[in-house]
Amino acid sequence: MKFRDFLKENIVRLDGGMGTLLQAGALAKLGGAYLEQVQNDVSATYVNTVTSTDGNVYGFPVAPNTWFMYYNKALVGDADLTSMESILEKGIVAFELKNSWYLPSFFFAAGGTLFGETGTDAAAGVNFGGEIGVNATNAVLDLLANPNFKVDGDGFGNAGLKDGTVAAYFSGSWDYAGLYEALGENLGAVAAPTVMMNGAPAQLKAYAGSKAVGVNPNAKNMKAAMQFAAFLASADSQLLRFQLRNITPAVTALAENPEVAASIVAVAESNTMAYASVAQPTIAEMNPVWGPVGTFGTNLADGTVTRENVQEMVDLLDGQLNGG
């Protein structure tokens, strides 16, 4: 069998779609030494990204899948980085408010949850309503009232950071090469800051997902397939991938590697996963969440959500997310 055919028939990529793959019976659960590898090599945050509702683990994390804040060091100092309000005093901050991958960070900062604490309890539903939703929404409205807070979209934040008109914006590792080419050593990257919410600073939290590999349960040679997937997720493989392609490793111990520790993106992603994130649910019940959240963000951006109708709009969102 050709190597390409072996990969196609045996190895499965898990980039956020584990629930759908499990429904299709397309993933083998891990056990024995393979399960121990995952549990020993990566943090609980990563383990949650490949754990299903049955408590079983179905993949080997190989890299983080999250977002963080890029900023221009010439405009924003180290002392300002932990507070959205402080950064806004230094210049324009662009945020993808209409994007349902970014907007939930405000609800998480307010204490909201998606399908329980680990994102695997479908019966727990989405807890973005009530006081949590009102506090999150009011915090966004406060930011929108600041002329330095801009709704990102169509590359506005990326282009602005490059030409010096934007102080900070939120994105991921995929934007690093172009930004570094434009800003050089003036480019910085850190986990998302806090935002004032109900009179106190609250930590914005990005989705924590992982790029992972799994195994086809119908693999003709299950042992070989598992061994290869485990090899792809090994510390040696992840370090080599970082050295060749600048992909941040998921293996906890590699954060201490001098090369990894010198990467602003690797440090920002690792810190985000450690303290400024919430596990992105992988269950199929997550699929209907994206649309209503994105619409809510659009309604915030275009002024449909106002101070006067916050409770009404939050109740509407809650009903859409929980079948009400």
Side-chain angles (χ1 to χ4, degrees):
M1 177 184 290
K2 294 182 179 179
F3 181 62
R4 183 185 303 173
D5 293 332
F6 172 83
L7 289 178
K8 185 177 180 181
E9 293 180 12
N10 296 284
I11 305 301
V12 183
R13 291 182 57 180
L14 287 72
D15 293 346
M18 190 176 75
T20 301
L21 289 168
L22 286 172
Q23 281 189 332
L27 286 173
K29 71 177 181 181
L30 307 189
Y34 305 115
L35 177 60
E36 290 177 5
Q37 176 180 327
V38 173
Q39 293 174 330
N40 292 335
D41 284 2
V42 302
S43 69
T45 300
Y46 280 105
V47 176
N48 286 340
T49 69
V50 289
T51 301
S52 187
T53 54
D54 59 7
N56 290 312
V57 173
Y58 288 89
F60 298 86
V62 297
N65 185 27
T66 191
W67 55 265
F68 48 89
M69 186 180 77
Y70 285 112
Y71 68 99
N72 187 336
K73 292 181 180 179
L75 300 176
V76 183
D78 291 346
D80 304 308
L81 293 175
T82 60
S83 165
M84 178 75 83
E85 290 72 24
S86 294
I87 299 166
L88 286 166
E89 291 178 3
K90 304 300 181 179
I92 290 174
V93 176
F95 190 93
E96 287 209 49
L97 204 60
K98 302 177 185 180
N99 190 318
S100 54
W101 201 46
Y102 294 86
L103 177 60
S105 59
F106 288 90
F107 292 88
F108 297 143
T113 58
L114 279 167
F115 309 113
E117 294 300 322
T118 62
T120 58
D121 183 3
V126 179
N127 187 18
F128 282 5
E131 185 178 3
I132 286 171
V134 169
N135 287 341
T137 304
N138 279 330
V140 175
L141 291 173
D142 288 342
L143 292 176
L144 287 169
N146 188 318
N148 274 350
F149 185 82
K150 303 294 185 183
V151 178
D152 201 357
D154 298 323
F156 168 78
N158 183 289
L161 197 71
K162 289 176 179 176
D163 66 22
T165 59
V166 168
Y169 89 108
F170 302 83
S171 185
S173 58
W174 51 88
D175 277 345
Y176 172 74
L179 292 171
Y180 186 78
E181 183 178 356
L183 294 178
E185 295 305 312
N186 274 334
L187 177 65
V190 291
T194 63
V195 63
M196 290 303 294
M197 188 173 292
N198 201 27
Q203 177 65 55
L204 291 175
K205 295 181 179 180
Y207 274 125
S210 71
K211 296 180 180 179
V213 292
V215 172
N216 183 343
N218 299 310
K220 294 179 180 177
N221 189 330
M222 181 61 70
K223 182 178 179 180
M226 281 288 180
Q227 287 176 332
F228 188 72
F231 163 75
L232 289 175
S234 67
D236 288 343
S237 292
Q238 291 194 31
L239 179 58
L240 181 61
R241 194 176 296 111
F242 171 78
Q243 292 168 334
L244 296 176
R245 300 179 58 197
N246 292 316
I247 297 174
T248 300
V251 171
T252 303
L254 289 178
E256 304 301 321
N257 178 278
E259 293 176 88
V260 177
S263 166
I264 61 171
V265 168
V267 172
E269 287 188 310
S270 296
N271 286 341
T272 297
M273 296 291 284
Y275 72 83
S277 66
V278 168
Q280 181 173 322
T282 58
I283 59 177
E285 286 80 4
M286 181 64 186
N287 295 334
V289 170
W290 301 108
V293 172
T295 298
F296 191 78
T298 298
N299 289 339
L300 277 163
D302 66 17
T304 301
V305 179
T306 66
R307 296 287 186 189
E308 291 70 33
N309 68 10
V310 167
Q311 187 67 67
E312 176 187 349
M313 298 301 287
V314 167
D315 289 344
L316 176 62
L317 175 64
D318 185 47
Q320 292 171 333
L321 296 176
N322 292 293

